[in-house]
Amino acid sequence: MEQTKKIKETQKARVGIYTVGLKAYWPQFPGLRERIIEYVNFIEKKLEPFGEVYNYGLVDCSEEGHKAGKWFKEQDVDLIFCHTGTYVSSDAVLPVHQICTAPVIVLNLQPTTQVNYRETSTGEWLAHCGACPVPEISNAFNRAKIPFRVISGLLGLDYTPEISVTNENTANRPEAIRAYKEMEEWCLAAGVKRTLGNARFGFLGSNFHGMLDMYSDFTMLQAQTGIHVEIIEMCDLNERMQGISQEEVEDKLREIQEMFQISGDSQADPIARKPTKEQLRWSAHVAVGQERLVRDYDLDALVYYYHSVPGNPYQDLQGGFIVGHSLLTAKGIPCAGEGDIKTGIAMKICDTLHVGGSYCEIVTADYEEGTILLGHDGPFHIKISNGKPILRGMGLYHGKQGTGVSVEAKVRQGPVTMLGLTQTGEGRIKLIISQGVSTDGEIMQVGNTQTHVKFPADIDTYFTNWFMQAPTHHCAMSVGHNAKLFEKVAQMLGCEYVIL
């Protein structure tokens, strides 16, 4: 829907690819050179949905390797796939990656499941021996201290080239599907690195006072992720609250009505009431100002907290935050409360990968159902909601100043992955990853987001395993089982990670 159109489009990775072969082969085996170039062009087309692809073509000698390295460096690629089309001496490959230091993944993709033994010539065999140079290339990379990965499988053509004497249509084979899934994940992970490296995070206000787990060094975060942190004052937001027209407020109210269900009074909690017209109108007014702020500062994410004191005019302003920040999160600008910038980064990672990223913490455990309830009293990622989120009027924000409107919702049922981003004692960021399944369990009517999640381990074991990783007490909930994808993000960022 138009209301949730992204304010800023997600950046795609710049992905390099080339194929390799031995220059001496070309006059000896007519058609072999053109054949492996056809293979790499096929791979290029398969990768195009996941990144901006830069295909150098063929590297077949050390001189060409130097040219390719310089070309990839000029293209500012985030990742390079080296397709081993046939045997090549490693002196052709090494210069590419000494000159361009983007992460490299070797593609060992055999065109057929089985050669035609009776009819296969030397030239035909050479088109199927992509695994042959991989040990040599790996050895050269290792001795040159160049990190590398290898993806092995089938090429996945959906046709057989005329030159071939065997069936090369392997598109539906699991070995091809798995290989391209890995390649897709690497492209997406590289896109996260590029996005963070160009991202502007607004930090509005301060941290929740006394939460030592959330205090962070902005320079450290920029050094390790590339994000720029723009420090913003409440008066910056207040300035953008001026001159808002009634028409703008009405438009935002219609957006809120479309996105949310308006609650009645909670049967259990006296502070959770039906939002008043005045509360909803003020939330809409603040939401207009929040979007102005994001656009004026060209932000990709926003982290915020304002403690206030009773009677301060900004207390009313922060009281209207949650609805607008939920709307921004739905538009690709994740908003994290309590000044938790590390979880804000985790949410941005999830959102960049189109898997959500809802702000949450441990709420309580349900030993009868074997689930852990996760949620928070702040913004919610509407795009992964189980039905329309509910807006409740809050007589007070527990542990904070002021009153306002809050979001009560749960993430849709199915596979989920928790992504925590913490800081180690050595000052390094670390990703904590765990997969589970969200259920449709009953939740409290207290104006908080809440989702029941069942993890593979029992509750107490899970708690111990999670706590022993020294996490921030918040994390981001994503939809889908994304552990392998998040693992690749960690490797692209060069940070520590653990999968529980």
Side-chain angles (χ1 to χ4, degrees), residues 17-20 39-40 43 80-87 104-112 125-138 141 148-156 170 174-180 182-183 186:
I17 188 170
Y18 68 104
T19 192
V20 296
Y39 290 159
V40 79
I43 300 170
I80 300 176
F81 290 110
C82 168
H83 169 244
T84 54
T86 185
Y87 174 75
V104 54
I105 300 173
V106 178
L107 299 180
N108 168 36
L109 303 176
Q110 187 166 295
T112 185
W125 155 59
L126 288 173
H128 299 284
C129 74
C132 180
V134 177
E136 180 180 338
I137 293 169
S138 301
F141 283 159
F148 68 98
R149 286 95 179 166
V150 179
I151 296 176
S152 294
L154 291 172
L155 181 59
T170 60
E175 299 91 342
I177 294 169
R178 184 188 64 244
Y180 281 101
E182 274 199 77
M183 292 156 67
W186 277 114

Side-chain angles (χ1 to χ4, degrees), residues 124 136 145 191-192 207 214 317 384 407 413 416 438 443 455:
E124 175 75 8
E136 180 180 338
K145 307 298 183 187
V192 170
N207 292 109
M214 290 191 296
L317 182 53
I384 61 172
V407 178
Q413 293 173 256
V416 294
S438 66
I443 64 174
F455 293 99

Side-chain angles (χ1 to χ4, degrees), residues 338-351:
E338 299 180 354
D340 190 352
I341 192 166
K342 294 190 291 294
T343 298
I345 295 171
M347 293 168 68
K348 187 63 182 178
I349 290 170
C350 295
D351 188 76

Side-chain angles (χ1 to χ4, degrees), residues 115-125 163-166:
V115 297
N116 183 338
Y117 295 105
R118 292 194 175 193
E119 297 183 23
T120 293
S121 63
T122 300
E124 175 75 8
W125 155 59
I163 195 173
S164 179
V165 301
T166 188

Side-chain angles (χ1 to χ4, degrees), residues 23 35 39 50 80 89 107 116 203 255 308 335 348 359 368 393 410 487:
K23 195 170 187 178
R35 187 172 180 175
Y39 290 159
F50 314 113
I80 300 176
S89 55
L107 299 180
N116 183 338
F203 191 89
E255 186 178 338
S308 184
C335 297
K348 187 63 182 178
Y359 187 70
E368 298 295 336
K410 51 187 172 184
E487 176 183 8

Side-chain angles (χ1 to χ4, degrees), residues 73-330:
K73 192 172 184 178
E74 289 170 358
Q75 309 315 310
D76 188 30
V77 295
D78 303 297
L79 179 72
I80 300 176
F81 290 110
C82 168
H83 169 244
T84 54
T86 185
Y87 174 75
V88 68
S89 55
S90 52
D91 68 335
V93 177
L94 189 59
V96 179
H97 306 283
Q98 289 177 310
I99 296 168
C100 182
T101 57
V104 54
I105 300 173
V106 178
L107 299 180
N108 168 36
L109 303 176
Q110 187 166 295
T112 185
T113 60
Q114 183 183 62
V115 297
N116 183 338
Y117 295 105
R118 292 194 175 193
E119 297 183 23
T120 293
S121 63
T122 300
E124 175 75 8
W125 155 59
L126 288 173
H128 299 284
C129 74
C132 180
V134 177
E136 180 180 338
I137 293 169
S138 301
N139 181 277
F141 283 159
N142 182 262
R143 292 164 70 180
K145 307 298 183 187
I146 294 174
F148 68 98
R149 286 95 179 166
V150 179
I151 296 176
S152 294
L154 291 172
L155 181 59
L157 292 180
D158 53 8
Y159 67 96
T160 295
E162 289 185 14
I163 195 173
S164 179
V165 301
T166 188
N167 178 21
E168 295 190 17
N169 189 333
T170 60
N172 295 322
R173 290 281 303 208
E175 299 91 342
I177 294 169
R178 184 188 64 244
Y180 281 101
K181 180 64 175 176
E182 274 199 77
M183 292 156 67
E184 173 190 342
E185 289 179 344
W186 277 114
C187 291
L188 295 175
V192 170
K193 186 175 188 295
R194 174 166 287 272
T195 295
L196 292 180
N198 292 281
R200 294 172 54 81
F201 273 61
F203 191 89
L204 173 61
S206 65
N207 292 109
F208 192 106
H209 303 174
M211 288 185 176
L212 303 182
D213 58 320
M214 290 191 296
Y215 295 173
S216 288
D217 174 353
F218 294 162
T219 306
M220 177 273 290
L221 292 174
Q222 181 166 348
Q224 294 181 45
T225 69
I227 69 167
H228 165 80
V229 181
E230 185 75 16
I231 298 174
I232 300 171
E233 304 286 352
M234 287 291 283
C235 54
D236 293 315
L237 175 58
N238 188 58
E239 181 180 10
R240 283 148 184 88
M241 293 287 292
Q242 312 309 312
I244 292 174
S245 68
Q246 293 301 314
E247 183 180 2
E248 289 176 290
V249 174
E250 292 296 334
D251 286 344
K252 191 62 69 173
L253 275 170
R254 282 190 288 273
E255 186 178 338
I256 291 169
Q257 293 282 354
E258 183 174 344
M259 291 286 180
F260 298 99
Q261 176 183 341
I262 309 303
S263 78
D265 293 344
S266 169
Q267 297 177 357
D269 192 345
I271 68 172
R273 315 289 291 181
K274 179 179 180 179
T276 65
K277 289 183 180 179
E278 291 76 16
Q279 285 178 319
L280 289 172
R281 192 167 192 84
W282 178 243
S283 290
H285 193 125
V286 174
V288 175
Q290 290 166 322
E291 187 163 332
R292 282 185 177 182
L293 184 79
V294 163
R295 293 183 183 277
D296 286 352
Y297 281 97
D298 192 27
L299 299 181
D300 297 271
L302 180 62
V303 180
Y304 66 95
Y305 177 70
Y306 182 70
H307 186 70
S308 184
V309 293
N312 187 312
Y314 290 159
Q315 178 177 309
D316 290 337
L317 182 53
Q318 65 88 27
F321 274 0
I322 291 175
V323 175
H325 285 156
S326 292
L327 295 175
L328 286 171
T329 299

